[in-house]
Amino acid sequence: MSTEPAKLLEEEGFSYLTCIQCGTCTGSCPSGRHTSLNTRRIVLSARRNRDVYHDKDLWMCTTCYQCQERCPRGIRIVDGILTLRAESVHMGLMLPDHRKVAGLMIDKGHAVPINDDGRAKRKELGMDELPETVHKHPQALDQVKKLLELTGFMQLVTDEGTENS
Amino acid sequence: MRIGVYICHCGSNIAGNLDVESVREFAGSLSDVVVSKDINYACGDQGQDEIKKDIQELDLDRIVVAACSPRLHEVTFRRMAQAAGLNPYLVEMVNIREQCSWVHRDAYHYATQKAKDLVAMGVARARLLNPLTVESVPANRDVLVIGGGVTGIQAALNLADSGIKVHLVERDSTIGGWMARLNDVFPTNDCSMCVLAPKMTEAADHPNITLHTYSEIQDITGHIGNFHISVVHKPRYVDVSKCKGCIELCGSVCPIEVPVEVDGGLSLRKAIYLPMSQAVPFVAVVDPEHCVGCGLCVKACEPEAIDINQKEELVEFDVGAIIVATGYHLFDASRKPEYGYGIVKNVITSMELEQMLNASGPTQGRLVRPSNGREAKRVAFIQCVGSRDETVGNPYCSRVCCMAAIKNAGLIMNKNPENHVTVHYIDIRAGGENYEEYYIRQQEKGVEFIRGRVASVKEVDGEAVITYEDTMTGEIVDSTVDLVVLSVGLEPNTKADNIVDYLNLSRRPDRFIQVAHPKMRPVDTHTRGVFVAGCASGPKEIQVSIAQGMAASARAQGLLSSGSIQKDVMGVRLVDELCNGCRLCEEVCTYGRIKVIDGKAVVDELTCGGCGTCAAACPRGALQVRHSTDEQILAQVRAATEDIRETPLIIGFLCNWCSYAAADLAGTQGVSYSTNIRNIRVMCAGRVNPSFVLEALKGGADGVLVAGCRLGECHYISGNARAQQRMDVLKDVLAELGIDPGRVRTAWVAASEAGKFAGEVSRFVEDLEIMGAIGSELDK
């Protein structure tokens, strides 16, 4: 069983209790303009211990931090959302697309690996075609994989959890 | 008559925009004018000295100063006249700066002509000025404070500390008021009695305070400086001088038990009881409604303090000023049947919760469900019960309930952090010092604030269920709780209705006592010598009530410090032989300062504010405003229309407080408008008698503007509304005569609305140009 959202947030120091539902966060949210994400509602649901873990909108946040910057009550909204996401993943809840991205991280050492366009753009800018990452140092990929395994990331994202979303 | 006229240059402020020399020469040609001079700065020492010298050497008996606005320097020139031995009210100022040179900068010749007309009007009025003296009457320096709540106690203490004798009258058998019934108070969570009790004791012990508890005001007569008060001391059936307040002996033998009203009947008291544990005076009282007269207590009382034959006692005294601190009463929650008060067992009011949370209250501070006495853990506060609710006639916010609920919700969380407390609100109003911070702290404790007014409270299987829309999510929720607390609003104290009547106070639409100005005169009433403080003039928190008690005491003290009261020279005077007792004046005086007695109007000259609305209503001219008589005003009208050099010509009647001030402001801000208007200053638009308007039109003016404060903002409550009424009737009359009713216009302009005033004038001129000259419509 997962930890209740309000309790979890309080333990992590991101309490949503003092939210006054003013909507500054939602109004500031660039993602919310194009997706169903309503930050105010997420904060309210979490404060009321609703099951935000199953809420797909939790993943629509781009972590731009605009809402957190502007919150008049100084609530660490994005930090809280990241905490809630982490708990959600620990519950085995992850969107298929995010699972794919996590797979890329494991396979390529990059969530967004370079492609031909990327190479061309770098060249045009007078940079090396490949960045100083596993792309240029393929031997480091094993080390990355090792890190991912040691931190439990690999198991977390590859296990098809009992609860699927 | 020997009139001196002085035209001020005001440097280039006036002289730069009109021909001062020409105005001076014109003034000299007017009859009775024996000297006409121009002065660079009339208000300066040199200027004043020159006028003073003329008064003495040329034996002048009227002075006309054409300069800036009288609102700026009228007092200056009155003082100057007084210094020269001339009655100060024989000086007339003509406004040729703010209302002429500054607003007609590009119309030199027209501005000069307007200035000449204004001077002619001023001289015409000056001829009719009467010497006035400020009369004063001796005043009693004692003060009556009505209401022994925290506001009244504070007011009484401040006065008493300043050496003023105070009579503090309280209806209850103890002072302390509602505050004495509260548990802890926001935003500091002080125990209410801990901070109030010392003040109660101090008031009782103060050598300058006479405490009248368990007393009713029976009558108040007289007026400022000399009110006569009749107070009835109701029988307590207990001798105050003998009772020790032990209550044990008498109370234990009393066979009668009565539920205590203030805690919702959670506890019982006897028919002889102490009103509260820290009552001041600390004396028992017998409740005659429930006492059966068995006499057991009489035998039990060792000091022999109980006297069942005690009678009420009439006490009379005089005071110079009165502070009304009659407080509020709580909204009756059963008037909102959907909230189940009195039906659903676990529904209580906020005041009952205060008792329950109180360690010395009926449950010793335990939070219980009245249905079964078990601990209450899930508590819902319903806000705005009887406030912001037009269905019960209370559209206003009661202002204290948000903070009180936040405080109590926090106290409940303190008892047990596992408690679930929700506050159901429309808006949270935490607008005092440290209030928002206090609100945040209670939120941090986990109190949940849910926006949405609760629709209903029902009892389901013995449990209270509240139904509401959570307007943040749009969900409709049924929630079962252990205890529902109705945050009941504050209503005007109907038990103080007689006080309002005795003192002729006015009420706002919300039924609370109206103050003289909601912003600038927060503790003054419309009755001179009467002040109001605390919740009597609307819901307020304790800290604001205390501040108002202090403010009212300072006002009373300032008023009485000299030991005499001055009459307003602007006041109304009755010309006795003209009055036929028709009572029209009585009807229009919103203040109730005129009463027809034995067929003649009697003006309370000491409290008359001098608006002149009555004078305008009097069909026989029997009422005259001392410094604004009909003849003085008509003389100005006639002078303005005697030799018309500019058309269309408008005569403007502007009220002193707003529209005249707006016209001045137009000058200060340099907002220009048409030169066609000649203004006459009156104290109130209500002063304008329709006959003044007719006189202007008859004389050849093409239009008349009557301007006052914005409707609802009149400095004399409703003078402008009267003016509007009269002008509407007058327009109908004009239409019947074949005169275009559009020639009479009203404008309601605030003192800040310079642009609006200028626009009104310019538009009126344009419209009159289309209408044509006065009387041209009769030829059509």
Side-chain angles (χ1 to χ4, degrees):
Chain A
M1 189 54 212
S2 60
T3 315
E4 285 182 329
K7 199 173 171 202
L8 173 71
L9 290 169
E10 200 167 334
E11 281 167 7
E12 298 290 325
F14 307 136
S15 171
Y16 284 175
L17 284 178
T18 58
C19 170
I20 41 175
Q21 290 287 297
C22 66
T24 305
C25 51
T26 316
S28 305
C29 178
S31 170
R33 300 291 288 257
H34 306 288
T35 70
S36 55
L37 172 62
N38 182 314
T39 335
R40 176 182 63 79
R41 210 149 49 216
I42 293 218
V43 171
L44 181 63
S45 299
R47 185 255 173 272
R48 289 189 182 166
N49 282 322
R50 301 271 172 94
D51 181 8
V52 283
Y53 302 126
H54 280 86
D55 190 341
K56 285 179 188 158
D57 288 348
L58 200 57
W59 297 93
M60 296 301 166
C61 168
T62 63
T63 68
C64 73
Y65 278 90
Q66 203 135 239
C67 56
Q68 189 161 322
E69 283 290 321
R70 292 178 181 170
C71 173
R73 283 279 173 95
I75 297 171
R76 293 168 64 182
I77 303 167
V78 180
D79 296 338
I81 285 176
L82 294 177
T83 301
L84 294 169
R85 279 183 181 174
E87 181 69 9
S88 179
V89 173
H90 278 284
M91 288 164 65
L93 299 168
M94 215 172 164
L95 293 178
D97 287 342
H98 290 141
R99 212 178 281 286
K100 271 185 209 157
V101 172
L104 284 172
M105 185 70 196
I106 294 164
D107 290 345
K108 312 276 188 195
H110 271 276
V112 186
I114 199 153
N115 55 15
D116 289 347
D117 281 352
R119 284 170 194 264
K121 187 62 89 188
R122 289 181 66 90
K123 208 169 164 186
E124 196 183 309
L125 292 168
M127 299 162 79
D128 282 349
E129 257 185 66
L130 290 172
E132 295 291 333
T133 64
V134 291
H135 281 325
K136 201 181 242 178
H137 309 285
Q139 70 280 12
L141 187 57
D142 283 341
Q143 291 167 341
V144 170
K145 285 185 179 176
K146 195 158 194 172
L147 281 172
L148 293 176
E149 193 165 357
L150 285 171
T151 54
F153 181 82
M154 208 178 279
Q155 201 195 347
L156 204 56
V157 301
T158 49
D159 270 6
E160 294 288 324
T162 44
E163 293 182 79
N164 214 331
S165 59
Chain B
M1 188 155 295
R2 298 177 63 79
I3 303 175
V5 182
Y6 299 86
I7 318 292
C8 179
H9 289 239
C10 196
S12 63
N13 282 303
I14 293 170
N17 298 316
L18 54 84
D19 186 349
V20 166
E21 172 52 23
S22 163
V23 176
R24 188 202 62 74
E25 198 185 321
F26 168 78
S29 72
L30 296 166
S31 57
D32 301 324
V33 175
V34 295
V35 58
S36 166
K37 288 185 175 172
D38 59 303
I39 297 183
N40 202 4
Y41 289 103
C43 62
D45 287 347
Q46 269 184 315
Q48 289 193 47
D49 286 346
E50 190 173 345
I51 303 173
K52 271 193 258 184
K53 205 168 130 226
D54 283 0
I55 291 172
Q56 286 160 344
E57 291 181 359
L58 303 174
D59 201 19
L60 301 177
D61 56 10
R62 299 287 187 283
I63 298 295
V64 174
V65 183
C68 54
S69 171
R71 289 170 55 90
L72 189 66
H73 273 317
E74 193 167 56
V75 175
T76 311
F77 292 112
R78 280 181 180 167
R79 281 203 196 109
M80 172 205 75
Q82 197 153 27
L86 185 68
N87 184 287
Y89 296 94
L90 298 178
V91 175
E92 175 67 10
M93 276 196 84
V94 176
N95 187 339
I96 59 166
R97 191 180 74 171
E98 282 83 347
Q99 296 186 15
C100 190
S101 72
W102 275 353
V103 285
H104 310 309
R105 287 175 198 268
D106 302 321
Y108 193 81
H109 294 292
Y110 283 108
T112 306
Q113 183 56 47
K114 178 172 173 179
K116 286 180 187 174
D117 290 353
L118 293 172
V119 167
M121 291 160 71
V123 168
R125 179 174 146 82
R127 287 193 194 103
L128 299 170
L129 289 176
N130 296 309
L132 300 172
T133 44
V134 180
E135 287 178 53
S136 61
V137 294
N140 186 308
R141 293 193 63 209
D142 298 353
V143 176
L144 164 67
V145 178
I146 308 173
V150 64
T151 308
I153 292 173
Q154 187 63 55
L157 285 175
N158 277 62
L159 289 164
D161 284 345
S162 322
I164 290 172
K165 301 278 183 204
V166 182
H167 290 273
L168 178 57
V169 177
E170 167 58 47
R171 175 193 307 272
D172 262 347
S173 54
T174 173
I175 55 170
W178 286 111
M179 186 180 170
R181 308 286 181 181
L182 300 177
N183 177 34
D184 293 351
V185 286
F186 61 82
T188 45
N189 284 9
D190 289 302
C191 128
S192 189
M193 263 318 243
C194 304
V195 287
L196 179 63
K199 284 185 191 287
M200 291 163 64
T201 318
E202 201 187 336
D205 294 344
H206 206 294
N208 287 338
I209 297 178
T210 307
L211 209 54
H212 304 262
T213 51
Y214 214 44
S215 299
E216 299 268 0
I217 305 272
Q218 200 179 51
D219 197 15
I220 301 175
T221 55
H223 44 64
I224 180 172
N226 295 286
F227 291 102
H228 185 72
I229 316 293
S230 307
V231 173
V232 169
H233 291 188
K234 295 178 282 188
R236 299 169 195 260
Y237 306 104
V238 173
D239 186 334
V240 177
S241 63
K242 290 182 185 165
C243 177
K244 306 281 178 274
C246 62
I247 209 68
E248 273 310 310
L249 297 173
C250 57
S252 62
V253 297
C254 177
I256 307 297
E257 289 194 323
V258 186
V260 175
E261 198 185 343
V262 72
D263 65 22
L266 275 175
S267 62
L268 300 168
R269 64 162 170 81
K270 296 299 182 75
I272 183 164
Y273 65 106
L274 266 180
M276 58 194 188
S277 52
Q278 286 168 278
V280 172
F282 194 57
V283 173
V285 59
V286 174
D287 163 11
E289 197 189 325
H290 295 96
C291 172
V292 291
C294 67
L296 286 172
C297 56
V298 181
K299 291 184 194 118
C301 178
E302 282 173 3
E304 298 180 339
I306 300 166
D307 171 12
I308 42 178
N309 295 315
Q310 204 174 57
K311 296 276 178 293
E312 68 174 35
E313 187 191 351
L314 181 69
V315 181
E316 296 184 58
F317 52 86
D318 293 319
V319 297
I322 298 174
I323 294 173
V324 178
T326 46
Y328 62 93
H329 72 197
L330 289 167
F331 176 77
D332 172 9
S334 63
R335 287 177 62 201
K336 297 295 293 178
E338 61 266 44
Y339 289 157
Y341 182 74
I343 304 163
V344 179
K345 285 186 279 301
N346 291 332
V347 176
I348 64 171
T349 68
S350 38
M351 188 53 75
E352 288 159 17
L353 179 69
E354 293 284 347
Q355 310 306 307
M356 207 192 263
L357 290 174
N358 195 323
S360 61
T363 60
Q364 287 81 46
R366 277 179 59 244
L367 189 69
V368 300
R369 298 156 38 129
S371 62
N372 56 14
R374 283 205 214 115
E375 196 185 347
K377 295 183 169 175
R378 298 167 299 176
V379 184
F381 286 82
I382 301 182
Q383 297 305 104
C384 303
V385 179
S387 308
R388 305 179 77 186
D389 184 350
E390 293 178 19
T391 67
V392 296
N394 296 345
Y396 58 88
C397 165
S398 288
R399 188 163 150 172
V400 298
C401 329
C402 279
M403 285 303 291
I406 291 170
K407 181 241 333 176
N408 286 327
L411 292 176
I412 293 170
M413 292 305 283
N414 289 353
K415 285 182 183 295
N416 182 356
E418 297 301 314
N419 283 341
H420 187 239
V421 183
T422 53
V423 177
H424 301 264
Y425 69 96
I426 306 175
D427 293 293
I428 287 292
R429 293 183 170 174
E433 286 145 23
N434 287 315
Y435 289 6
E436 184 74 11
E437 295 89 329
Y438 185 86
Y439 169 30
I440 295 173
R441 286 202 299 280
Q442 312 319 311
Q443 280 185 311
E444 283 166 349
K445 290 176 187 166
V447 177
E448 191 176 343
F449 291 82
I450 299 175
R451 207 193 79 175
R453 191 161 170 274
V454 170
S456 67
V457 182
K458 293 197 187 83
E459 196 160 272
V460 180
D461 302 330
E463 304 260 15
V465 177
I466 59 171
T467 302
Y468 59 90
E469 185 201 353
D470 180 335
T471 61
M472 288 300 162
T473 62
E475 294 162 294
I476 295 167
V477 184
D478 294 314
S479 173
T480 304
V481 294
D482 298 332
L483 191 64
V484 176
V485 181
L486 304 181
S487 290
V488 285
L490 277 51
E491 287 189 326
N493 188 355
T494 49
K495 289 179 181 170
D497 284 352
N498 58 335
I499 310 288
V500 173
D501 292 342
Y502 297 147
L503 296 173
N504 222 327
L505 305 179
S506 39
R507 293 182 185 279
R508 291 194 302 255
D510 65 9
R511 313 184 306 287
F512 286 96
I513 293 171
Q514 186 162 40
V515 294
H517 189 279
K519 191 175 294 292
M520 308 307 287
R521 298 173 68 193
V523 297
D524 293 8
T525 68
H526 289 294
T527 302
R528 275 187 88 198
V530 178
F531 305 96
V532 61
C535 292
S537 58
K540 284 169 197 76
E541 315 91 293
I542 292 165
Q543 42 274 61
V544 179
S545 297
I546 288 178
Q548 286 212 332
M550 292 174 169
S553 71
R555 295 287 293 140
Q557 208 181 319
L559 183 75
L560 302 174
S561 60
S562 70
S564 65
I565 306 288
Q566 293 190 336
K567 288 187 188 178
D568 189 338
V569 286
M570 292 304 289
V572 169
R573 161 184 84 85
L574 183 80
V575 185
D576 210 48
E577 60 275 17
L578 294 178
C579 175
N580 67 350
C582 75
R583 305 194 103 96
L584 269 175
C585 50
E586 213 180 56
E587 207 176 291
V588 298
C589 181
T590 323
Y591 299 93
R593 302 289 186 263
I594 306 182
K595 294 271 180 290
V596 174
I597 301 169
D598 298 334
K600 292 275 180 199
V602 177
V603 183
D604 181 353
E605 293 187 21
L606 210 51
T607 55
C608 167
C611 64
T613 305
C614 58
C618 181
R620 300 169 66 95
L623 289 161
Q624 288 299 332
V625 183
R626 280 201 172 76
H627 202 50
S628 182
T629 66
D630 287 357
E631 279 312 314
Q632 288 166 356
I633 294 171
L634 287 169
Q636 283 177 281
V637 172
R638 288 179 196 127
T641 52
E642 194 183 343
D643 179 16
I644 297 172
R645 299 285 184 102
E646 183 179 16
T647 56
L649 180 75
I650 301 170
I651 304 299
F653 294 97
L654 311 188
C655 88
N656 178 59
W657 304 104
C658 288
S659 50
Y660 194 90
D664 277 356
L665 186 65
T668 317
Q669 294 181 346
V671 182
S672 65
Y673 53 88
S674 309
T675 51
N676 310 53
I677 190 164
R678 308 289 179 265
N679 290 333
I680 296 173
R681 181 166 73 131
V682 287
M683 288 310 280
C684 177
R687 173 71 188 96
V688 181
N689 190 315
S691 69
F692 303 164
V693 180
L694 289 173
E695 186 74 15
L697 297 176
K698 200 174 83 188
D702 301 293
V704 173
L705 177 71
V706 176
C709 308
R710 288 191 296 212
L711 293 174
E713 296 177 14
C714 177
H715 276 58
Y716 302 99
I717 310 176
S718 58
N720 54 2
R722 293 276 177 201
Q724 174 84 71
Q725 237 172 5
R726 286 176 189 146
M727 293 312 135
D728 286 347
V729 173
L730 181 64
K731 284 182 194 183
D732 292 344
V733 173
L734 289 176
E736 273 181 40
L737 292 172
I739 303 286
D740 194 325
R743 296 191 183 277
V744 176
R745 203 168 268 195
T746 52
W748 312 116
V749 189
S752 59
E753 295 176 329
K756 183 176 172 188
F757 176 79
E760 289 281 354
V761 175
S762 294
R763 246 193 325 279
F764 198 8
V765 171
E766 284 166 26
D767 293 348
L768 286 171
E769 274 165 358
I770 295 166
M771 245 177 259
I774 178 83
S776 59
E777 57 265 62
L778 294 169
D779 304 331
K780 280 173 197 160

